[in-house]
Amino acid sequence: MLDFWASWCDPCRAENPNLVKAYQKYHDKGFEILGISLDDAARKDAWVEAIKKDNLLWPQVSDLKGWDSLAAKIYGINVILASFLLDPEGRIIARNLRGDDLQNLLKRIFIDRSNP
């Protein structure tokens, strides 16, 4: 999952506990998240603190360019929170899943994988 977020984004921060729950439940089964921050250089310390405070255990990256982030441009991000769920081949299979919607899809995916 690619998760575009920022430390100053209240909806992003509110969703983080749901991502932590999904990560803890499905990481050992192959679920990975890459957090991509749209914080800028002036907010670097706030970004690092948010990672710690929200207990984000997965890899986090940022070029600290805010909305001029190369990753945001590549994925056409103009609002956050935004996410892309990818299959093992890297194809986008869902966008902007939150809360129960993410949990339900991950449950279906990992049940299907364990029952070939």
Side-chain angles (χ1 to χ4, degrees):
M1 174 177 231
L2 301 177
D3 177 45
F4 289 86
W5 73 290
S7 65
W8 45 262
C9 171
D10 290 338
C12 301
R13 301 289 300 277
E15 182 61 21
N16 280 342
N18 294 321
L19 293 178
V20 169
K21 180 180 173 184
Y23 187 81
Q24 289 173 333
K25 186 168 185 176
Y26 295 106
H27 178 70
D28 289 344
K29 297 176 180 170
F31 179 60
E32 187 61 76
I33 302 172
L34 177 62
I36 304 168
S37 172
L38 297 187
D39 283 286
D40 59 22
R43 300 233 0 125
K44 180 181 178 184
D45 291 343
W47 168 54
V48 172
E49 184 60 30
I51 293 167
K52 292 176 189 173
K53 185 175 182 182
D54 293 0
N55 197 31
L56 306 183
L57 305 171
W58 49 91
Q60 298 288 329
V61 298
S62 181
D63 57 13
L64 299 174
K65 294 182 179 178
W67 290 106
D68 290 326
S69 162
L70 179 59
K73 289 179 180 182
I74 289 170
Y75 281 89
I77 303 300
N78 53 24
V79 297
I80 52 176
L81 71 150
S83 65
F84 298 88
L85 188 62
L86 309 175
D87 70 9
E89 288 75 41
R91 294 179 297 239
I92 297 170
I93 58 172
R95 297 173 194 245
N96 301 325
L97 294 175
R98 295 179 184 91
D100 289 342
D101 291 335
L102 175 61
Q103 294 290 334
N104 291 336
L105 182 55
L106 290 175
K107 183 178 180 181
R108 286 197 319 263
I109 288 170
F110 288 104
I111 286 174
D112 288 348
R113 282 194 192 163
S114 64
N115 297 316

